[in-house]
């Protein structure tokens, strides 16, 4: 039977065995921000960073996770590389493709080793308003549910004869029309989901001005060491001529 | 003595649909329990939200009457102040989860109360012990079964020590044993002095609830179905066939959800599939509908020349919102049908009590009405061999359940296979044949009467056979 499950580009599964799991979420957020700055450097320094980054993810026991993420976005990377190469130059194609793959990997590593609640707590302790931190937390935790709902919509429409396999250009325009049958239920379900969560949170006192978080984050010696080394490496790569 | 919760002629009208709910008046003292019951689409959920203060604090619309918690009117309270006094348990346990672990879910409300750390720890430990949640704490709530999720929702509310619990159809998504366990937890809460207000239409489950007072919500006369369903009215009959399922195996990763199942169906049968949440009921239906990759074979054998190998069974999904997008009910039913069978349409619409909604936007219907619309969509689409239904009685009151089973019997009498998965044992008991399934596979597959007499089979399936259901 021809059938393929559509997967999200961002994995929401936690990598419990990674040593990064034990680090403070603020450290991991800092590492991700450092990497986001470094990927903007020229190609030569980008290659040096890539080497260091691969050593880092091997140490973090996330290399197979890295390969899986690259596999998920391979077609985007290939198309991007070819278009940039044909339209502009090989150097730009290499730079843009490398930047996108490293950035994607850095943030999937962050989400693979940090729960949405930990991320929310990190943002809150960094001074972001609780509402904002809670929304970010909810957005990431809802990814899995949105994926399931998208799959359910796909199947429900397929079962009533809406087929999305585009055979030729003549059918292309009909298929674009059929996309409404996917997008409207997707918007309705996402909105409903958001509304029910709002109700549920409100019914448990979400907007209380007296809220006190139970868990407290603590920056350990290891967190300081990793943060200082990362900051040093980023500074070296930026200042190196 | 002053009531803990007092409502006086409370009603609410939604601005988009002009649908009104209520009026409802009630008075609830400490340790008392009330049951508000009525038909699907009768506004139970809306009135529950009025009592919990979500209306008018979150919803726009016209609210008449007043709700008092103690001596304060909910209109004059902040929603977080209401949350300290009145807990709310929603219908769908999966959608009310707001955090990513069981531990965080229990802590969420306690943190919002602004309690000292030590007090949070004490309440957290107590509720974990009381609800036996210690082995789940680090798990994602989304990996729990429906029964476990609903238990978690209740625990998260109970930890906040509300004086009143408002429950909006909390049993509707639970299998019989999970529903029984949930009710026992509520009885314990009542004994400890918590007052309860149920909004529910699975009434038999609550018939033994101690001291339960009942408040009916009115049934409008035009909600009654207009015509009796007769087989003579159905425009099409189908030839004899049988469907053979052999060695059906479905795995998700390393976990086998279905393992080497063998089942045979005949055209004209009305078959129910019952099992605990997570026993593989939906997976079996999806395999038969051709939506799920599987190992093994599913073949149809019949006396018609044009039989294809794989059966053509239309599926009615659990969540009707996954299908609805057209501007009217009529267009929704006829979407993608090349030459619609007008005779069949004219038969179906009154049979499903959808006559007055033909020009209504499908998304404005109540949950029960949406489910009947999803059934109409599946029946109007060409299907050679029959239909599959996933939890068809969700959101349906007794009258619409009776209507549903009457319709399903009619379709099966025309020679089609009607196969439905349900955790509603009352609905399952109406089938000609029942299959009991558990994680271990098929426990029993016999005429319904035999299964209802086989207590051992129910025990093996991990299900409770409610005492009010007899063969």
């Amino acid at each position: 039977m021809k059938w393929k499950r559509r997967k999200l580009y961002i994995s929401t599964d936690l990598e419990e065995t990674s040593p990064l799991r034990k680090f403070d979420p603020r450290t991991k957020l800092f590492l991700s921000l450092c990497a986001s700055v470094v990927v903007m450097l020229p190609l030569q320094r980008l290659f040096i960073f890539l080497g260091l980054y691969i050593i880092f993810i091997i140490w973090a026991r996330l290399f197979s996770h890295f390969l899986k993420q690259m596999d998920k976005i391979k077609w985007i990377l290939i198309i991007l590389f070819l278009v940039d190469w044909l339209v502009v130059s090989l150097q730009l194609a290499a730079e843009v493709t490398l930047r996108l793959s490293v950035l994607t990997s850095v943030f999937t590593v962050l989400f693979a080793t940090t729960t949405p609640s930990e991320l929310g707590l990190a943002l809150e302790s960094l001074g972001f308003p609780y509402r904002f931190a809670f929304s970010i937390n909810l957005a990431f935790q809802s990814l899995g549910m949105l994926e399931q709902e998208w799959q359910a919509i796909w199947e429900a429409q397929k079962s009533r004869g809406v087929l999305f396999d585009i055979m030729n250009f003549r059918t292309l325009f009909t298929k674009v029309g059929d996309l409404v049958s996917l997008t409207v239920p997707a918007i309705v379900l996402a909105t409903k989901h958001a509304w029910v969560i709002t109700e549920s949170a409100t019914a448990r006192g979400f907007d209380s001005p007296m809220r006190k978080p139970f868990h407290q984050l603590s920056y350990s010696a290891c967190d300081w060491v990793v943060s200082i080394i990362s900051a040093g490496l980023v500074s070296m790569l930026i200042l190196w001529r | 003595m002053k009531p803990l919760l007092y409502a006086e002629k409370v009603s609410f009208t939604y601005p988009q649909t002009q649908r009104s709910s209520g009026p409802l008046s009630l008075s609830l003292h400490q340790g008392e329990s009330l049951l508000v019951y009525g038909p699907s689409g009768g506004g139970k959920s809306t009135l529950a939200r009025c009592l919990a203060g979500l209306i008018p604090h979150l919803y726009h619309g016209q609210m008449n009457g007043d709700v008092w918690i103690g001596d304060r009117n909910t209109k004059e309270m902040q929603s977080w102040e209401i949350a300290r006094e009145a807990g709310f348990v929603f219908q769908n346990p999966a959608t009310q989860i707001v955090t990513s672990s069981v531990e965080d879910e229990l802590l969420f409300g306690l943190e919002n109360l602004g309690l000292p750390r030590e007090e949070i720890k004490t309440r957290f430990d107590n509720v974990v012990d009381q609800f036996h949640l210690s082995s789940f704490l680090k798990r994602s709530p989304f990996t729990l079964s429906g029964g476990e999720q609903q238990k978690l929702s209740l625990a998260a509310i109970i930890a906040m020590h509300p004086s009143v619990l408002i429950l909006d159809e909390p049993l509707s998504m639970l299998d019989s044993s999970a529903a029984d366990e949930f009710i026992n937890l509520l009885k314990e809460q009542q004994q400890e002095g918590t007052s309860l207000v149920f909004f529910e239409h699975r009434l038999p489950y609550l018939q033994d609830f101690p001291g339960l007072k009942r408040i009916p919500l009115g049934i409008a006369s035009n909600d009654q179905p207009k015509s009796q369903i007769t087989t003579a009215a159905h425009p099409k009959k189908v030839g004899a066939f049988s469907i053979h399922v052999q060695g059906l195996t479905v795995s998700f990763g390393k976990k086998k959800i279905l393992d080497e199942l063998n089942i045979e169906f005949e055209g004209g049968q009305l078959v129910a599939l019952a099992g605990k949440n997570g026993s593989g009921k939906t997976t079996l239906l999806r395999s038969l509908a051709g939506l799920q990759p599987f190992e093994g074979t599913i073949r149809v054998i019949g006396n018609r020349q044009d039989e294809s190998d794989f059966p053509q069974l239309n599926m009615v999904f659990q969540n009707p919102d996954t299908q609805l997008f057209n501007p009217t009910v009529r267009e929704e039913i006829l979407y993608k049908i090349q030459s619609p069978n007008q005779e069949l349409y004219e038969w179906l619409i009154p049979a499903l009590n959808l006559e007055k909604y033909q020009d209504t936007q499908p998304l404005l219907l109540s949950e029960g009405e949406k489910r009947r619309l999803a059934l109409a969509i599946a029946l109007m689409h060409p299907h050679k061999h029959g239909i599959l239904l996933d939890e068809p009685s969700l959101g349906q009151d007794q009258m619409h359940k009776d209507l549903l089973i009457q319709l399903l019997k009619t379709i099966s009498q025309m020679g089609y296979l009607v196969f439905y998965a349900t955790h509603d044992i009352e609905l399952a008991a109406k089938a000609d044949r029942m299959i009991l399934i558990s994680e271990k596979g098929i426990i029993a597959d016999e005429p319904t009467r035999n299964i209802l007499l086989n207590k051992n089979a129910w025990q093996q399936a991990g299900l409770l056979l409610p005492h009010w259901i007899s063969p």
Side-chain angles (χ1 to χ4, degrees):
Chain A
M1 202 183 315
K2 283 180 188 172
W3 186 90
K4 196 176 178 192
R5 187 172 164 80
R6 269 89 184 152
K7 288 291 285 179
L8 278 178
Y9 288 116
I10 300 171
S11 165
T12 50
D13 301 329
L14 267 187
E15 298 284 346
E16 292 287 357
T17 54
S18 170
L20 270 184
R21 190 72 194 92
K22 291 179 187 139
F23 280 76
D24 189 293
R26 289 168 295 184
T27 309
K28 289 178 265 183
L29 205 56
F30 179 69
L31 290 178
S32 308
L33 293 175
C34 285
S36 310
V37 172
V38 174
V39 292
M40 293 305 153
L41 292 172
L43 197 57
Q44 195 187 12
R45 280 179 266 174
L46 193 55
F47 272 122
I48 296 171
F49 173 72
L50 190 66
L52 292 170
Y53 179 67
I54 288 175
I55 294 168
F56 174 75
I57 54 171
I58 291 171
W59 166 79
R61 294 186 211 154
L62 290 167
F63 192 65
S64 60
H65 179 88
F66 168 75
L67 292 179
K68 275 185 211 159
Q69 291 304 322
M70 289 303 108
D71 184 52
K72 282 182 186 174
I73 59 165
K74 63 178 181 279
W75 289 114
I76 297 173
L77 295 176
I78 290 168
I79 291 167
L80 194 69
F81 181 81
L82 290 175
V83 170
D84 278 342
W85 185 14
L86 295 174
V87 176
V88 189
S89 68
L90 180 60
Q91 183 172 345
L92 184 87
E95 273 176 6
V96 170
T97 313
L98 264 181
R99 280 173 187 159
L100 182 68
S101 41
V102 172
L103 265 183
T104 311
S105 166
V106 162
F107 281 96
T108 53
V109 162
L110 172 68
F111 297 124
T113 56
T114 313
T115 66
S117 312
E118 288 164 354
L119 186 64
L121 205 56
L123 292 172
E124 209 182 337
S125 69
L126 290 169
F128 285 87
Y130 173 60
R131 275 175 179 267
F132 176 78
F134 183 72
S135 307
I136 298 267
N137 174 356
L138 272 183
F140 284 108
Q141 135 192 346
S142 300
L143 283 174
M145 185 167 263
L146 289 177
E147 182 191 11
Q148 283 174 11
E149 283 175 351
W150 181 254
Q151 190 64 35
I153 294 167
W154 187 276
E155 287 181 358
Q157 298 300 4
K158 197 175 163 189
S159 75
R160 70 196 288 199
V162 185
L163 297 170
F164 300 98
D165 304 321
I166 296 166
M167 309 300 288
N168 53 47
F169 275 105
R170 267 183 67 194
T171 57
L172 181 66
F173 292 102
T174 340
K175 301 303 166 194
V176 171
D178 284 348
L179 282 178
V180 176
S181 65
L182 287 180
T183 47
V184 173
I187 293 166
V188 168
L189 284 174
T191 312
K192 254 186 139 175
H193 180 56
W195 183 249
V196 177
I197 286 180
T198 306
E199 281 193 310
S200 180
T202 307
R204 282 193 270 161
F206 169 66
D207 53 354
S208 165
M210 294 183 296
R211 183 182 177 276
K212 283 183 195 156
F214 179 73
H215 290 299
Q216 305 288 333
L217 293 175
S218 63
Y219 225 62
S220 69
C222 281
D223 288 302
W224 280 113
V225 169
V226 169
S227 302
I228 291 167
I229 292 174
S230 311
L233 278 172
V234 170
S235 308
M236 272 172 59
L237 283 168
I238 292 171
L239 297 172
W240 178 50
R241 291 281 181 268
Chain B
M1 198 168 66
K2 250 193 161 177
L4 286 177
L5 180 72
Y6 178 71
E8 191 179 14
K9 292 180 185 167
V10 173
S11 65
F12 185 76
T13 307
Y14 289 95
Q16 308 93 330
T17 57
Q18 292 302 310
R19 273 189 178 217
S20 292
S21 308
L24 173 72
S25 296
L26 58 82
S27 172
L28 185 74
H29 292 85
Q30 190 183 6
E32 280 187 344
S33 47
L34 288 175
L35 164 66
V36 181
Y37 66 98
S40 61
K44 293 190 296 298
S45 295
T46 303
L47 293 167
R49 280 159 174 76
C50 289
L51 294 190
L54 294 171
I55 295 174
H57 288 286
L58 276 186
Y59 285 78
H60 296 291
Q62 179 63 44
M63 180 180 168
N64 293 318
D66 290 296
V67 177
W68 299 78
I69 293 178
D71 49 11
R72 294 185 71 187
N73 190 321
T74 55
K75 285 176 186 167
E76 289 152 13
M77 295 169 82
Q78 298 291 325
S79 49
W80 58 270
E81 291 179 299
I82 300 171
R84 300 170 78 100
E85 303 298 330
F88 192 86
V89 178
F90 293 80
Q91 186 176 11
N92 186 341
T95 54
Q96 61 191 297
I97 291 160
V98 295
T99 64
S100 55
S101 77
V102 170
E103 181 183 317
D104 290 339
E105 195 68 17
L106 294 173
L107 288 171
F108 179 77
L110 294 173
E111 290 177 331
N112 292 336
L113 291 177
L115 298 169
R117 209 175 141 73
E118 278 313 304
E119 175 66 14
I120 291 183
K121 181 87 178 71
T122 309
R123 289 197 192 188
F124 177 84
D125 290 342
N126 287 346
V127 87
V128 167
D129 282 349
Q130 193 183 354
F131 288 78
H132 310 292
L133 294 169
S134 54
S135 56
F136 298 135
L137 289 177
K138 294 291 171 197
R139 276 176 66 180
S140 160
F142 298 104
T143 63
L144 303 179
S145 71
E148 289 163 348
Q149 283 176 340
Q150 196 64 302
K151 192 161 85 170
L152 170 64
S153 306
L154 180 64
I157 297 286
I158 293 299
M160 295 173 75
H161 292 182
S163 48
V164 178
L165 259 184
I166 298 157
L167 303 113
D168 180 21
E169 298 192 31
L171 309 176
S172 65
M173 303 229 168
L174 306 187
D175 61 55
S176 55
S177 7
D180 191 58
E181 190 190 352
F182 190 76
I183 286 166
N184 286 334
L185 288 168
L186 290 172
K187 283 178 184 169
E188 285 172 21
Q189 291 309 310
Q190 192 197 22
Q191 280 171 2
E192 287 173 17
T194 312
S195 308
L196 309 168
V197 189
F198 292 94
F199 288 81
E200 185 55 73
H201 54 61
R202 282 177 86 177
L203 304 186
Y205 280 95
L206 294 170
Q207 63 189 9
D208 298 330
F209 204 89
L212 188 70
K213 292 177 191 163
R214 292 161 185 247
I215 301 177
L217 279 179
I219 302 171
S221 59
N222 62 356
D223 277 346
Q224 300 287 349
K226 286 186 178 160
S227 58
Q228 285 294 308
I229 301 162
T230 62
T231 53
H234 193 291
K236 194 183 167 191
K237 292 197 177 189
V238 71
F241 65 87
S242 58
I243 293 169
H244 299 255
V245 177
Q246 284 172 331
L248 177 67
T249 302
V250 177
S251 308
F252 292 153
K254 286 176 187 168
K255 191 178 178 191
K256 279 189 178 174
I257 306 296
L258 302 176
D259 192 8
E260 297 277 335
L261 293 196
N262 296 308
I263 317 171
E264 273 184 34
F265 298 100
E266 299 286 334
Q269 282 186 332
L270 179 66
V271 189
L273 177 66
K276 274 180 84 83
N277 295 21
S279 57
K281 301 192 293 289
T282 301
T283 308
L284 175 55
L285 291 191
R286 291 176 71 243
S287 305
L288 286 165
L291 296 167
Q292 174 69 52
F294 60 84
E295 289 168 37
T297 56
I298 300 177
R299 292 179 62 223
V300 64
I301 298 171
N303 57 8
R304 288 165 54 167
Q305 293 297 312
D306 61 343
E307 296 289 7
S308 62
D309 228 5
F310 198 82
Q312 287 184 20
L313 298 157
N314 282 357
M315 182 147 169
V316 184
F317 294 84
Q318 209 175 108
N319 185 355
D321 284 327
T322 55
Q323 286 188 301
L324 311 179
F325 69 99
N326 278 295
T328 66
V329 164
R330 183 183 285 106
E331 286 170 85
E332 194 69 69
I333 294 173
L334 300 177
Y335 181 71
K336 284 281 170 188
I337 303 177
Q338 296 292 343
S339 40
N341 182 338
Q342 197 56 34
E343 208 184 340
L344 178 61
Y345 180 86
E346 299 295 336
W347 177 77
L348 263 180
I349 291 297
L352 286 166
N353 206 13
L354 289 171
E355 267 173 314
K356 63 179 173 183
Y357 302 120
Q358 288 181 80
D359 296 315
T360 305
Q361 228 282 17
L363 293 171
L364 299 179
L365 300 178
S366 76
E367 287 306 307
E369 288 156 358
K370 280 182 193 170
R371 284 176 202 282
R372 300 205 293 279
L373 171 58
L375 176 57
I377 293 169
L379 289 172
M380 273 303 289
H381 274 266
H383 55 102
K384 273 186 191 168
H385 304 111
I387 54 165
L388 307 162
L389 304 100
D390 194 4
E391 300 291 355
S393 66
L394 280 183
Q396 305 294 344
D397 54 45
Q398 195 55 50
M399 183 190 84
H400 284 105
K401 257 199 252 184
D402 293 343
L403 185 72
L404 174 73
I405 203 71
Q406 203 186 341
L407 180 74
L408 297 182
K409 277 188 174 166
T410 307
I411 296 162
S412 70
Q413 282 160 10
M414 292 296 96
Y416 291 105
L417 168 68
V418 178
F419 185 36
Y420 58 93
T422 184
H423 59 244
D424 181 347
I425 308 299
E426 264 184 289
L427 188 78
K430 305 278 184 193
D432 306 327
R433 170 183 160 195
M434 199 193 293
I435 299 174
L436 278 185
I437 190 170
S438 81
E439 285 168 358
K440 292 170 199 157
I442 291 177
I443 303 293
D445 176 3
E446 289 175 62
T448 304
R449 189 184 153 73
N450 295 358
I451 293 220
L452 293 177
L453 292 168
N454 186 350
K455 286 186 181 164
N456 190 30
W458 289 90
Q459 214 165 18
Q460 280 185 56
L463 284 174
L464 180 90
L465 178 61
H467 61 85
W468 61 87
I469 294 174
S470 53

